[in-house]
Amino acid sequence: MCGIVGYTGHRNAVPVLMEGLGRLEYRGYDSAGIACLNHGGKHLFVVKEKGKLSRLREELKRHAVSAKIGIGHTRWATHGEPSRFNAHPHLDFTHRIAIVHNGIIENYASLKEKLIRKGIRFASQTDTEVAGNLIGHFYGKGNLLEAVRKAVKELRGYFAFVVIAQDEPDKIVAFKRSNPLVIGLGKGENFVASDVTALLPYTRRVIYLEDEEYAEITPAQVRIFSSSGKLVKRTSVTVRWDVSKAQKGGYPHFMLKEINEQPAVVKSILASHVKNKRIHFDTLDRKLTKRLKQIRKVHFVSCGTAYHAGLVGNYMMGECLDLPAEATVSSEFRYEDPSVDKRDLVVLVTQSGETADTLAALREAKAKGALTLAIVNVVGSTVAREADGVIYTHAGPEIGVASTKAYLAQLTVIALFTLYLAGIHPCRKKQFSLLKMKSRLQEMLRLPSQIKETLHQEAAVVRCAKTLYGKKNFLYLGRGYNFPNALEGALKLKEITYAHAHGYPAGEMKHGPIALVDNRQPVICICPESSKTYEKMLSNIEEIKARRGIIITLATQGDKQVAKLSNQVFSVPNTSEMFSPILTAVPLQLFAYHVAVLNNRDVDQPRNLAKSVTVE
Ligand code: AGP
């Protein structure tokens, strides 16, 4: 998720680009840059900086740039750490073409080797520069559109990009495949951007590019071409949204947008790590993989929602490997003088990669010689850089303080890593056969569509939230893989509605919490049919029923037994218990969200909380 913007027309391009990037910063903010054709298009001028847009603004003050055409980019790193060298725009090897890009070019490594063999040199680690050099390679004597078409034929992956060339000083060429690009139509000027947010100060007349389409944009006209090179007739539409709504993709809050992004996030993770029915992690080198085969215990160390992901990881490891595993909150791990050494694997799970306690736990584990693996969302973050190995979750920027898509991304990556480890480690459980592993991997490929199906429960969730949003105490119960989701559901509710919510292992009911149950007490019970303790969970629900509790259940589609006992059922598709938390988390997120909205809470920035707890 990066932000792209382009302008060609009668204004000075620089303020237009900077205004647009400011409105796209929510799409990525680890580095930014612009490229303009300065001094009447005589030469390409590029300014880019690591960090927030404000640093680029400061740097631009040192240059008197006035140009009528330019492109800009605000980055969310996927390949290559956040740095000035990896920041966009990138120039091709002739320095006559500039490119900004959003997405992932899957075959960048092989293309890079091919171009290096042709004597082309690279200045960055990015896949973007490979696309830029490929276009430069085909550019030859000119015709930017033709060069882009030839290059795209060799690029694999999901991306959108925009290029300008010194020798065609008023022209922008754009291409879209899966990632968004929208063209803004002005008078004697035209714009292009990742989404309408960047266009709204100048125009509301837009054209949405479709997949495999090219656009040639000059101040006087916009021409759109299909992949076969045919001119496409496309009428413009008028955008009615305001900027804030546009940044949220039309959703009222980032949290709801991010909940709805989950099918695409999980799909992209599976696409990145599963090829020809095998799991691979590009970022794990041979040395680390060798050590993985020798570990004797796995520790998941993290905070908050990431801790709940670690707890689920515990159960996954326990099902697949004869290796002790445990999940600990970072703030406990770091002070308990953990007994770890070189044969222990410590997995740090963290969305931000900057959580102080998790970073301290990483350093403690490393000091004791443990093998450390970070499962992180923010590329180039401190935890990612200091751990021995890293697997990125690539969930894109998560703006809502309450973690949702990052959680599902963590669960998906941990599940893949567990299956991967079971495939290489001598302690794979006998009963977890290679055949079973293969079928589990097949099941995972169905998760994106199943998550999408689960999102259809939203109307039922809203109806339920309307009956319960006045309640001040909620109890969440789960067993096995879904005990962590009882904790996660409770955390989601308390952190954005400020109601008290308690997650508990359902087997503990008789040891105290059942005293809470009466006809005013809502109890959310997570009870997928695939759970090996399904019958036990059913008995817990009956105990609550006997005490007239308000029973909300998360059950497998078509489960009539649970439905009979429930005041309200949210149903999820059937999947192995191992993956059930990935599905049951979704109604829990939606429930917390709608109860918060009904209570007029600040859903994206709840009180007292920060997105990343960088202090102890
Ligand atoms: C979860 O909704 C919270 N925002 C919080 O518990 C969060 O998961 C925790 O602070 C850990 O953050 P991290 O994943 O960035 O380390």
Side-chain angles (χ1 to χ4, degrees), residues 302-308 330 349-356 358 375 378 383 398 400-404 406 410 488 491-492 495-496 609-613:
S302 38
C303 299
T305 289
Y307 166 61
H308 301 150
S330 309
V349 187
T350 167
Q351 189 283 130
S352 62
E354 302 299 346
T355 298
T358 303
I375 293 180
V378 178
V383 169
E398 187 175 65
V401 165
S403 190
T404 51
Q410 289 160 357
E488 174 59 12
L491 174 62
K492 284 285 100 46
E495 71 176 324
I496 61 174
L609 291 175
K611 185 60 192 167
S612 170
V613 183

Side-chain angles (χ1 to χ4, degrees), residues 367-558:
K368 289 176 176 275
L371 176 62
T372 55
L373 173 68
I375 293 180
V376 191
N377 194 38
V378 178
V379 173
S381 54
T382 309
V383 169
R385 277 182 289 107
E386 294 193 13
D388 297 312
V390 60
I391 300 175
Y392 287 115
T393 51
H394 290 317
E398 187 175 65
I399 309 295
V401 165
S403 190
T404 51
K405 64 175 182 173
Y407 181 57
L408 256 61
Q410 289 160 357
L411 293 178
T412 306
V413 167
I414 292 172
L416 286 171
F417 178 71
T418 304
L419 293 175
Y420 170 81
L421 189 63
I424 63 170
H425 198 283
C427 289
R428 174 167 53 81
K429 275 191 169 165
K430 298 290 164 284
Q431 60 272 39
F432 201 78
S433 67
L434 288 175
L435 201 62
K436 186 173 208 175
M437 267 177 59
K438 281 200 174 10
S439 79
R440 286 292 166 88
L441 192 51
Q442 271 314 99
E443 265 197 81
M444 287 196 79
L445 300 179
R446 288 200 295 276
L447 286 171
S449 57
Q450 291 180 321
I451 297 166
K452 203 173 193 133
E453 209 180 319
T454 308
L455 286 166
H456 297 153
Q457 291 290 297
E458 184 165 13
V461 171
V462 173
R463 282 197 300 276
C464 180
K466 283 181 178 161
T467 64
L468 296 176
Y469 76 95
K471 297 287 182 184
K472 290 292 168 242
N473 286 292
F474 292 79
L475 186 56
Y476 287 73
L477 300 175
R479 285 178 176 259
Y481 277 100
N482 280 286
F483 156 51
N485 260 9
L487 301 178
E488 174 59 12
L491 174 62
K492 284 285 100 46
L493 193 86
K494 70 181 98 169
E495 71 176 324
I496 61 174
T497 69
Y498 317 149
H500 180 261
H502 208 141
Y504 239 89
E508 279 291 287
M509 276 291 283
K510 292 192 182 64
H511 303 278
I514 199 159
L516 292 172
V517 180
D518 60 21
N519 63 352
R520 289 160 304 160
Q521 177 66 50
V523 186
I524 290 88
C525 305
I526 310 169
C527 184
E529 223 161 18
S530 57
S531 161
K532 60 173 176 294
T533 49
Y534 171 77
E535 297 301 335
K536 298 288 175 204
M537 194 64 210
L538 222 45
S539 318
N540 290 129
I541 296 172
E542 278 160 5
E543 287 158 17
I544 296 158
K545 185 102 188 139
R547 290 155 182 82
R548 302 169 59 214
I550 304 167
I551 300 171
I552 318 299
T553 49
L554 282 82
T556 304
Q557 282 165 352

Side-chain angles (χ1 to χ4, degrees), residues 145-167:
L145 180 65
E146 222 19 62
V148 167
R149 284 169 50 80
K150 286 180 186 158
V152 161
K153 286 194 172 64
E154 301 204 12
L155 298 174
R156 282 211 320 278
Y158 308 111
F159 51 83
F161 62 71
V162 163
V163 292
I164 54 176
Q166 188 172 291
D167 308 341

Side-chain angles (χ1 to χ4, degrees), residues 236-262:
S236 66
V237 295
T238 305
V239 175
R240 308 261 174 239
W241 285 347
D242 64 18
V243 173
S244 159
K245 201 147 165 67
Q247 286 181 328
K248 298 170 186 120
Y251 290 99
H253 299 97
F254 277 112
M255 182 178 175
L256 189 59
K257 172 172 173 274
E258 287 152 8
I259 289 171
N260 283 278
E261 285 175 348
Q262 293 180 123

